[in-house]
Amino acid sequence: MKPTVEEIGTLLALKRHERPEEGFLDDFLRDFHQRRREEEALKSGPAGWWHRLSSWASGLGASKWAYGAGLAYAAAMALFLLSPRHEQVQPIAPTPAKYQVEPAEAVPVEQLDALDWRPNSTGTTGEQEF
C-alpha cells in the first residue's frame, strides 16, 4: 500500500520535533572512522588477501578447477625441484699435477735514454709531434 500525501505530512510533522541526543554526531563520526580503520586493516592483512583471492576464485565458474589444478601442479613441481637430494657424494682423491713451471725468457727492454723526447714544432696548429 502506497502512503498518501496526508500520511507523509503527518509523519514529517511528528519527526520534526525529534532531535538526536547530545553528542550523537560526535559518537557517530568516531564510530564511522573506527569501522573504516577496521575494514582497511582487514583488507591489508592476510585475511584481506584471502578474501580477495576467494572472491576472485568464486567469480571464475567452472574454470576455477583448471586454475586450481594448474596451481597445485606448479606447487608440486616447485617442491620436487627445490627439495634437497640426500645422495652421498664420494670425494675424489687429489692427484698431483705433472706440470713444471719454467721461467720465460727475458725480453730485451729498449732503453728510455735512447728515445728522443724533444717536442717537434713542425705542426701547423702548434701541436707537438713525438
Side-chain angles (χ1 to χ4, degrees):
M1 175 170 101
K2 193 172 185 181
T4 62
V5 175
E6 292 83 22
E7 290 174 340
I8 293 175
T10 18
L11 181 61
L12 286 176
L14 287 173
K15 294 292 183 179
R16 181 177 303 142
H17 300 292
E18 290 184 9
R19 299 279 184 244
E21 60 188 38
E22 195 65 36
F24 172 78
L25 294 177
D26 295 332
D27 293 341
F28 174 78
L29 186 62
R30 183 177 30 118
D31 292 342
F32 175 76
H33 286 297
Q34 183 177 358
R35 281 194 309 272
R36 291 293 298 155
R37 281 192 296 272
E38 289 172 357
E39 289 173 5
E40 288 298 321
L42 284 177
K43 286 181 184 177
S44 65
W49 181 81
W50 180 254
H51 178 68
R52 285 192 301 273
L53 181 66
S54 63
S55 65
W56 175 77
S58 66
L60 292 177
S63 65
K64 67 181 168 186
W65 297 106
Y67 284 123
L71 184 63
Y73 178 73
M77 289 307 295
L79 286 174
F80 175 72
L81 293 174
L82 297 176
S83 64
R85 308 282 190 274
H86 297 291
E87 299 173 3
Q88 294 293 332
V89 178
Q90 298 294 331
I92 299 174
T95 55
K98 296 178 182 177
Y99 182 75
Q100 186 176 358
V101 178
E102 298 177 5
E105 294 181 22
V107 178
V109 179
E110 191 176 308
Q111 296 295 324
L112 293 178
D113 295 335
L115 296 175
D116 183 19
W117 290 97
R118 291 177 292 156
N120 189 352
S121 60
T122 59
T124 56
T125 58
E127 315 87 30
Q128 292 182 350
E129 295 179 5
F130 293 96

